[in-house]
Amino acid sequence: MISSYSMEKDAKILIYVAASPPRPVSMEELMETAKGVTNMALAHEIVVNGDFQIKPAELPEHSLEKKVRDIVHKAFWDCLEAQLKEDPPTYDHAIKLLGEIKENLLSFLLPGHTRLRSQITEVLDLDLIKQEAENGALDISKLVEFVIGMMGTLCAPARDEEIKKLKDIHEIVPLFRAIFSVLDLMKMDMANFAVSSIRPKLMQQSAEYERKKFQEFLEKQPSMTLFLSFFPSDLPVNCVSLPVDHEKKSDSFITSSLCSTAVQNQAYLKLLKWDHVNRPFPETVLMDQTRFQEIQLELEQLLLIGTVLLVTFSAAGSALVDVPGFAEKIKTIVKVLLSGTHLPSFNLKESLATIGEKVCAEVNSCLSQHGFTPFSAERETVLKGQIQAVASPDNTICKLIDSRIQKFLENYLASSHQKSLPAIPGGLGPIQRELEEIAVKYVRLVNYNKMVFSPYYDAVLGKILTKEESQLVGKSEES
């Protein structure tokens, strides 16, 4: 069932996944659904976030969980210390720890590490160690020395310093604690290495997994509506004006595919202007909301930087256009003073006033250094006023730069599967590097989202485009 829904000025499209009424959901179903969503989010994070890493869990300092954990750990290590101080020493706990260490070391080995596997198995032979303990011949310091040496062989270079510190610990109980701490770090290193190794191969499988889990989630919540509210209700002009030869089905299919892509691209561009406070973010891109917000903030800052640069170069004329490093200095000044734009307390007008002062000082300094006449007080006032005017939503230059940025991103989306990338629009040259970096991140997010959810989008847009096409054909026949 498809119905239209309006919010503010834009009409939106609601897709009812099922027409059935809400039904009670059991706790088991709720927990299973939550687990599925959690797993889906984790798979998504691994693929999308190139910097994703597994990190140790850090409990809040004064939390009950941390207090309980510390008490249990202290009791265990105190018990181990008490056993080792007995006369003769009791090694029950120590042998269990050696067994855990042995399992950890073996887990780090690859199939080809036969020699290392043999060494670990031979030296950490728990049956032999128990016999030595029973006969009073166990040299636990020698075993720990072997463990540290093997850890040094298997660890990543980044852990060499931790291994070196282990060699400086001479008391057995603190040494055991430190060994397990380093082993935990080594396990994380191994897991992160595995994640980075499989990421290129994981993307397609992850897309299918996310789609499957998302469908399961919808099936468990049949009354849930899937918002595709970011689809524009008015289709792009080229979607409803392209000539279609209905006797050639292939042409019709190609046209529909192109139109569907154009509509989706327009929808993704709308996410860069989203009101995150007053409008719910579409479910199909919800896991990337934070990333889209970050890109949106970066573009807002880049818009201000680009506008200030254009205003400054226009005021200075050709004198500073080719001066090496000048544009970078201005960008640095603006970036620093706009770094708090995400904070509620940020005041754009005050920041632009400060930027105007700094920019004028930098312009005059650069003009003087290269033999040009510095700005008069009148020209400084004009430039400061132009920079402060950037705060106005109706600022002509700001709107021009914004439209060119949006057009570049639209072209970048359209050419994301082509070898040649779109040319940078006029006036954006000084911010080309930053804009292309943002575009790469943005297009990566969009393309992955399309890979996962395109069956849902295509099904909806196919119906809409068919309806639009039928209406056009009817009008053409009437005329």
Side-chain angles (χ1 to χ4, degrees):
M1 173 180 174
I2 301 178
S3 66
S4 61
Y5 174 77
S6 63
M7 180 184 287
E8 299 177 355
K9 292 183 180 180
D10 295 329
K12 302 192 175 76
I13 297 165
L14 255 177
I15 301 169
Y16 288 88
V17 178
S20 57
R23 65 176 177 83
V25 180
S26 68
M27 180 59 70
E28 290 76 11
E29 288 177 311
L30 188 61
M31 293 299 292
E32 185 180 349
T33 301
K35 182 180 179 182
V37 172
T38 301
N39 290 340
M40 183 175 69
L42 178 60
H44 181 87
E45 187 70 20
I46 291 173
V47 171
V48 175
N49 184 2
D51 298 323
F52 175 84
Q53 281 194 330
I54 300 170
K55 296 181 179 179
E58 296 184 2
L59 301 176
E61 185 62 32
H62 300 293
S63 65
L64 177 62
E65 188 177 355
K66 186 176 186 302
K67 290 178 180 178
V68 172
R69 188 195 64 179
D70 291 345
I71 291 170
V72 172
H73 283 194
K74 185 176 185 302
F76 175 83
W77 294 114
D78 287 348
C79 182
L80 174 63
E81 188 170 12
Q83 283 191 347
L84 294 178
K85 287 183 177 180
E86 291 178 4
D87 189 17
T90 303
Y91 293 104
D92 293 348
H93 277 11
I95 293 173
K96 288 180 181 178
L97 293 179
L98 288 171
E100 290 184 29
I101 291 171
K102 177 182 178 181
E103 290 178 6
N104 281 315
L105 293 176
L106 291 174
S107 71
F108 297 139
L109 301 180
L110 298 176
H113 290 158
T114 52
R115 185 178 61 83
L116 294 177
R117 189 179 303 277
S118 298
Q119 286 182 353
I120 294 171
T121 305
E122 182 180 341
V123 176
L124 298 180
D125 184 339
L126 296 185
D127 291 334
L128 180 59
I129 291 173
K130 288 177 183 177
Q131 291 179 13
E132 290 177 345
E134 291 171 357
N135 296 321
L138 178 61
D139 187 351
I140 199 164
S141 298
K142 185 177 179 181
L143 293 176
V144 170
E145 183 180 346
F146 167 80
V147 167
I148 295 173
M150 188 58 67
M151 289 171 65
T153 302
L154 298 175
C155 74
R159 302 301 173 197
D160 287 346
E161 190 62 33
E162 280 86 354
I163 298 296
K164 185 179 178 182
K165 291 177 181 178
L166 292 179
K167 296 177 181 178
D168 296 331
I169 303 175
H170 302 292
E171 295 184 19
I172 292 298
V173 174
L175 184 54
F176 265 121
R177 296 188 68 166
I179 285 174
F180 275 96
S181 178
V182 176
L183 284 173
D184 286 340
L185 295 176
M186 291 173 63
K187 283 188 278 189
M188 279 192 301
D189 293 339
M190 181 67 75
N192 287 324
F193 174 74
V195 167
S196 62
S197 299
I198 66 173
R199 183 179 286 114
K201 301 176 183 178
L202 188 63
M203 183 166 288
Q204 183 59 46
Q205 289 88 335
S206 179
E208 294 172 359
Y209 175 75
E210 282 190 45
R211 195 181 307 118
K212 176 184 174 183
K213 287 296 180 184
F214 189 78
Q215 183 61 40
E216 290 175 1
F217 180 67
L218 295 180
E219 289 171 357
K220 291 183 182 297
Q221 297 291 331
S223 60
M224 174 188 168
T225 56
L226 171 64
F227 271 89
L228 292 181
S229 55
F230 58 117
F231 279 173
S233 57
D234 51 335
L235 300 179
V237 175
N238 62 338
C239 275
V240 294
S241 61
L242 286 173
V244 180
D245 186 347
H246 293 278
E247 294 182 0
K248 296 181 180 180
K249 293 183 179 180
S250 60
D251 289 350
S252 178
F253 173 77
I254 292 172
T255 303
S256 297
S257 298
L258 290 172
C259 291
S260 177
T261 301
V263 174
Q264 289 185 44
N265 287 348
Q266 288 295 323
Y268 285 112
L269 286 170
K270 286 181 67 176
L271 297 177
L272 300 178
K273 299 287 186 180
W274 201 265
D275 182 358
H276 294 272
V277 176
N278 299 312
R279 298 179 66 185
F281 209 61
E283 281 89 343
T284 51
V285 284
L286 193 58
M287 286 193 292
D288 287 318
Q289 181 174 12
T290 301
R291 294 185 180 88
F292 277 110
Q293 281 181 292
E294 290 173 355
I295 291 174
Q296 184 174 346
L297 180 61
E298 289 176 7
L299 285 173
E300 289 171 358
Q301 291 181 344
L302 194 61
L303 170 61
L304 294 173
I305 292 171
T307 305
V308 170
L309 283 169
L310 186 60
V311 167
T312 302
F313 281 124
S314 298
S318 59
L320 301 180
V321 172
D322 298 322
V323 174
F326 176 73
E328 291 300 321
K329 286 183 180 179
I330 299 298
K331 281 195 284 188
T332 301
I333 291 171
V334 180
K335 281 180 183 178
V336 170
L337 294 173
L338 293 178
S339 59
T341 50
H342 62 288
L343 300 174
S345 58
F346 180 77
N347 189 310
L348 180 58
K349 290 184 178 180
E350 290 181 2
S351 296
L352 287 173
T354 306
I355 287 171
E357 297 286 345
K358 298 285 186 182
V359 167
C360 283
E362 189 61 41
V363 167
N364 284 333
S365 174
C366 194
L367 287 172
S368 299
Q369 288 178 12
H370 292 83
F372 298 102
T373 305
F375 276 7
S376 63
E378 184 179 351
R379 289 184 70 184
E380 278 191 30
T381 302
V382 171
L383 178 55
K384 291 175 184 177
Q386 289 177 327
I387 291 175
Q388 291 181 49
V390 173
S392 171
D394 299 321
N395 183 269
T396 306
I397 300 176
C398 200
K399 291 171 74 173
L400 174 66
I401 296 293
D402 186 38
S403 66
R404 291 181 178 179
I405 288 175
Q406 293 297 313
K407 189 63 180 176
F408 174 76
L409 292 173
E410 181 181 356
N411 293 338
Y412 209 105
L413 270 179
S415 64
S416 60
H417 296 293
Q418 301 175 11
K419 291 183 179 179
S420 59
L421 296 177
I424 200 80
L428 302 186
I431 58 172
Q432 177 176 351
R433 175 173 53 83
E434 291 85 357
L435 183 57
E436 288 180 345
E437 289 174 357
I438 293 173
V440 169
K441 290 192 295 184
Y442 171 64
V443 171
R444 187 187 299 126
L445 279 182
V446 169
N447 285 342
Y448 184 73
N449 186 265
K450 284 183 179 181
M451 191 186 303
V452 177
F453 295 105
S454 58
Y456 298 97
Y457 302 156
D458 292 340
V460 178
L461 291 174
K463 294 179 181 179
I464 299 171
L465 292 171
T466 302
K467 182 179 178 181
E468 292 283 341
E469 186 180 316
S470 300
Q471 291 175 351
L472 282 176
V473 172
K475 289 181 181 178
S476 62
E477 290 175 350
E478 290 175 3
S479 60

